[in-house]
Amino acid sequence: MSRKNLTVAGLVTAAFTVVLLTFALRPAENVTQREAVAVPNPPQEKTLKKTALVQDVSATDHLNRVDVSKHLSTMLAETHGASPQDIAVYAKRLQQGHGHITMLMWIDFHAHTTKTFQSSLPEGTDQENKQLLKYLKTAKAALKGHQSYESPSFIIGKNKYYFMAQRDKTGNIGVIALINQKILDRVAEHQLKNLRLIPYPKEGKYRVESVHTDTLSDITVKTGHDNENASHFYENEIVVRFQNGHPTRGQLQTIVADIHCKQPRKLGYAYIFRADQMNYSQLKTYFVNKWHPAYTEPHYMYLTNDTVNKKPVGTVTPNDLLFSTYQWNLPAIETELGWNLSKGSKEVIVAVVDTGVQASHPDLKGKLLAGYNAITKGSTPDDDVGHGTHVSGIIGALVNNNEGVAGISWYNKILPVKALDNSGAGTTYSVAEGIIWAADNNAKVINLSLGNYADSQFLHDAIKYAYDRDVVIVSAAGNDNTERPGYPAAYPEVLAVAATNASLEKASFSNYGDYIDVAAPGDSIASTYPESQYAALSGTSMSSPHVAALAGLVRSLNPDLTNKEVMALMTKNAIDLGDPGHDKYYGWGQIDVLKTLQAASGSPVPLQLWPQHVRLQLNQLKQRLEKNF
């Protein structure tokens, strides 16, 4: 056989093998999954949104406990051997920057001294004060026993608090913090509006029922994401064996009340407790201190010993505190691999037309430009809602700073434009003014996580103004689970973004329609929040900045591309979901950072990314074969 015939035969054999593998490996239910997307009816939608709200609040609680723990351990490390005056200065600075740290108590076990900073404890009823002092006493006892401690949440007056205590490595110093959890009420109130669980806007001067300017919202948690927060054991579960065999019914009732859990599972001599609002470390502290069990241990998961969970070669994994556990959204769009090609550029500005941004947030330090306030002329664009700060963190929270979350862009500057007031709403004028101002002040990308169902010529003119100046404009589709077009997302000059969850499904709250261009993660997204905190929020408002950040990376990598070309690259290189090709639920599919940047670079694939390039090519071939058969 000639070399030419051998080559042809080889290609035919390879193609035939791919076809066989394609159909052998394709799940049997794949066809039915592409046939339809389940759209919840109104009662189901309301239930899902209530579940979403609870999950966002719970995830925010977890995020902030992790963040506070880091601040306390950093304080102990950085003040080791410092003078009392320097310690007091550090404590004052920490509390000024983090208003939720209501009290700091410094205990020197070697010198037998205690110093309390900002010492006024909250006052409640006699019963509430008694409970506070009980948890404070337990925190001190835990430190004395060389243990860390986190109390359950408790109510004082109208606010919710908890204690956290840590001891330094030498064992000589301990610190106790009283944390105000007002962020949980703030997130809950915010999500009630944004998920439309209450008439909106309930307060403020805008009384239009269809107003949709603040589309921050939602969360659908049917993804099992909670169970994936820990890699080798269930984060919120603990296995306990008691010293004296089995606890009495009354003792079990006490435990259930203390840790707010359902009845435990019993197997042999041991009990498994699950508490959604406490992690394993907190549960262990509780059982050891109160019940002195024979043993406690995590509820381990046993996995096959293969390499399926290994990250691909070339993956850039940042050291940000909350990244590995909470930021499922960045790996879902291949951000870590994409960083090999572009991490952004300070020359390419991404504007966030929203509620403003907390300029002093430590995870946004150096990333923000001066910005503009279209609500109160002459004032700085401060965030009095939380929405704009959260959106900005998704785009550009500092990466590899051992703090909080990682943004998608390492270097792009963010231009905050406040066009929505303290109720999360704004007029057509303020939004249009914000868009025009951003375009006139060198923004190359504008994110609009806001909307309305009214087609405004005035707003459309502002959109056209920015588009004609080569700006990429990205907007959230909305969170009402409706096919009715929302604006500005539905304007042809705007890239309209729907929301997906961790299972690559349409998020239950996400709007849909033929105007949708792409989808992006929008379910329980961790990001920056006012008062130097972090929150997990859901909604197409969270999806839109993923796409805006990608546009910033593309324009950084290839500045010669026009806005139209950038938008086309993102749609053409999206991962197809739902019906083949464009559909009303996902548009062209979920954005893919790596694939889009590869297309934008116009250069050969880097050697370290060659395996991923081959995988993408095979997936594309598989998709084409599926469409043809």
Side-chain angles (χ1 to χ4, degrees):
M1 186 179 291
S2 69
R3 179 174 296 179
K4 179 179 179 181
N5 289 338
L6 280 172
T7 302
V8 172
L11 289 172
V12 171
T13 302
F16 183 68
T17 302
V18 170
V19 172
L20 287 177
L21 287 173
T22 296
F23 287 94
L25 297 177
R26 183 173 59 186
E29 69 276 13
N30 197 36
V31 175
T32 57
Q33 286 177 348
R34 282 182 170 265
E35 286 178 354
V37 172
V39 178
N41 60 36
Q44 291 171 332
E45 180 186 347
K46 186 173 183 179
T47 299
L48 287 169
K49 285 184 174 182
K50 286 181 177 179
T51 302
L53 186 150
V54 171
Q55 179 63 22
D56 277 348
V57 172
S58 177
T60 300
D61 184 20
H62 284 298
L63 290 171
N64 280 272
R65 286 177 183 260
V66 173
D67 186 52
V68 169
S69 177
K70 175 68 184 300
H71 284 304
L72 296 188
S73 61
T74 301
M75 180 181 182
L76 288 168
E78 293 187 358
T79 58
H80 179 71
S83 68
Q85 293 79 9
D86 288 340
I87 294 170
V89 170
Y90 189 102
K92 182 177 181 180
R93 187 172 67 248
L94 178 62
Q95 288 181 280
Q96 285 177 340
H98 301 80
H100 54 296
I101 304 179
T102 301
M103 181 207 76
L104 280 172
M105 181 178 289
W106 187 266
I107 304 175
D108 188 330
F109 291 97
H110 184 72
H112 303 289
T113 59
T114 298
K115 172 66 176 176
T116 303
F117 306 101
Q118 199 153 327
S119 58
S120 57
L121 290 172
E123 289 288 333
T125 65
D126 290 343
Q127 183 63 31
E128 289 172 344
N129 294 336
K130 183 178 179 180
Q131 187 178 45
L132 181 148
L133 294 175
K134 182 189 81 169
Y135 286 131
L136 178 58
K137 183 179 179 181
T138 305
K140 291 179 180 178
L143 289 180
K144 192 173 182 180
H146 295 268
Q147 294 179 329
S148 60
Y149 173 75
E150 285 186 41
S151 77
S153 298
F154 55 90
I155 302 293
I156 301 291
K158 295 182 179 180
N159 295 317
K160 186 180 290 187
Y161 299 85
Y162 69 91
F163 280 108
M164 180 176 287
Q166 290 189 12
R167 193 158 176 163
D168 73 350
K169 293 181 179 179
T170 67
N172 293 329
I173 303 296
V175 61
I176 300 174
L178 177 65
I179 308 301
N180 188 322
Q181 293 188 286
K182 59 185 177 182
I183 187 175
L184 303 185
D185 291 334
R186 189 170 177 178
V187 167
E189 182 180 357
H190 205 168
Q191 293 299 71
L192 281 172
K193 295 178 184 177
N194 296 316
L195 291 169
R196 307 300 185 264
L197 287 167
I198 59 174
Y200 180 79
K202 188 177 182 181
E203 72 291 317
K205 58 187 177 182
Y206 307 112
R207 303 258 175 202
V208 183
E209 288 185 7
S210 62
V211 67
H212 205 276
T213 47
D214 183 6
T215 55
L216 161 66
S217 66
D218 27 44
I219 169 177
T220 299
V221 184
K222 55 183 180 181
T223 65
H225 179 56
D226 272 352
N227 289 337
E228 297 171 2
N229 284 340
S231 58
H232 296 296
F233 60 88
Y234 290 102
E235 179 181 315
N236 305 114
E237 295 190 2
I238 188 170
V239 179
V240 181
R241 180 174 178 179
F242 295 87
Q243 288 281 7
N244 300 319
H246 302 291
T248 65
R249 180 178 298 179
Q251 289 172 327
L252 283 176
Q253 289 176 346
T254 298
I255 294 171
V256 167
D258 283 349
I259 66 175
H260 306 290
C261 74
K262 296 179 180 179
Q263 287 298 318
R265 289 171 284 167
K266 176 179 174 294
L267 184 63
Y269 302 107
Y271 293 78
I272 301 174
F273 296 88
R274 176 179 175 83
D276 289 336
Q277 296 185 7
M278 296 175 72
N279 60 29
Y280 170 73
S281 177
Q282 296 164 334
L283 288 168
K284 181 176 180 179
T285 299
Y286 165 79
F287 280 100
V288 169
N289 288 338
K290 186 163 184 175
W291 299 99
H292 311 290
Y295 69 76
T296 64
E297 66 179 31
H299 187 194
Y300 292 104
M301 295 183 290
Y302 292 88
L303 309 176
T304 55
N305 290 322
D306 57 23
T307 59
V308 68
N309 289 320
K310 284 189 177 180
K311 293 190 174 182
V313 175
T315 299
V316 179
T317 303
N319 62 16
D320 299 79
L321 182 65
L322 304 172
F323 176 79
S324 295
T325 305
Y326 293 99
Q327 290 191 266
W328 66 269
N329 47 310
L330 269 59
I333 57 175
E334 297 207 276
T335 308
E336 298 160 288
L337 290 166
W339 282 334
N340 286 284
L341 299 174
S342 175
K343 294 184 176 74
S345 166
K346 64 180 181 180
E347 304 302 324
V348 176
I349 297 170
V350 180
V352 176
V353 178
D354 213 291
T355 62
V357 183
Q358 182 198 339
S360 61
H361 199 294
D363 223 0
L364 293 170
K365 186 178 181 180
K367 295 297 294 289
L368 302 175
L369 298 173
Y372 179 70
N373 192 327
I375 300 297
T376 306
K377 302 297 189 294
S379 298
T380 55
D382 297 326
D383 188 0
D384 44 17
V385 177
H387 191 262
T389 300
H390 197 273
V391 166
S392 297
I394 295 170
I395 295 171
L398 291 173
V399 184
N400 263 356
N401 65 337
N402 283 297
E403 170 85 28
V405 296
I408 294 172
S409 165
W410 294 46
Y411 303 124
N412 292 98
K413 294 291 186 180
I414 296 173
L415 185 66
V417 178
K418 185 174 179 63
L420 308 179
D421 69 7
N422 59 10
S423 72
T427 63
T428 306
Y429 185 94
S430 65
V431 175
E433 182 185 6
I435 292 169
I436 291 171
W437 187 91
D440 285 343
N441 284 270
N442 304 314
K444 299 302 289 181
V445 181
I446 295 177
N447 184 81
L448 300 168
S449 289
L450 49 83
N452 195 315
Y453 294 113
D455 182 357
S456 164
Q457 290 260 83
F458 183 22
L459 180 62
H460 197 180
D461 282 344
I463 292 290
K464 291 177 181 176
Y465 180 91
Y467 185 81
D468 290 343
R469 280 151 184 78
D470 195 36
V471 179
V472 175
I473 309 165
V474 183
S475 183
N479 308 303
D480 294 313
N481 184 40
T482 179
E483 197 170 357
R484 179 183 178 187
Y487 298 93
Y491 292 130
E493 300 84 2
V494 177
L495 206 65
V497 187
T500 53
N501 61 26
S503 296
L504 295 182
E505 300 166 340
K506 172 191 173 295
S508 64
F509 52 79
S510 180
N511 285 0
Y512 55 96
D514 292 336
Y515 67 97
I516 298 296
D517 293 299
V518 291
D523 188 6
S524 195
I525 305 301
S527 186
T528 47
Y529 207 67
E531 297 187 8
S532 303
Q533 298 187 75
Y534 299 89
L537 300 176
S538 305
T540 56
S541 281
M542 281 62 258
S543 304
S544 181
H546 286 76
V547 181
L550 175 54
L553 296 182
V554 170
R555 304 207 88 163
S556 300
L557 179 65
N558 191 339
D560 294 330
L561 294 172
T562 66
N563 56 354
K564 186 176 181 180
E565 290 170 334
V566 172
M567 294 165 72
L569 276 175
M570 290 193 289
T571 56
K572 183 178 179 181
N573 292 285
I575 302 303
D576 193 14
L577 301 175
D579 292 335
H582 186 276
D583 65 75
K584 64 182 180 181
Y585 299 108
Y586 306 101
W588 292 103
Q590 180 165 282
I591 59 165
D592 187 297
V593 174
L594 172 62
K595 193 177 173 186
T596 303
L597 292 176
Q598 285 176 341
S601 67
S603 60
V605 178
L607 182 61
Q608 70 269 28
L609 295 182
W610 182 253
Q612 288 73 43
H613 173 71
V614 172
R615 174 168 56 83
L616 285 171
Q617 295 299 312
L618 287 174
N619 284 339
Q620 289 174 2
L621 175 59
K622 179 180 176 181
Q623 289 173 3
R624 287 197 296 270
L625 289 170
E626 286 177 343
K627 292 176 183 178
N628 292 330
F629 285 88

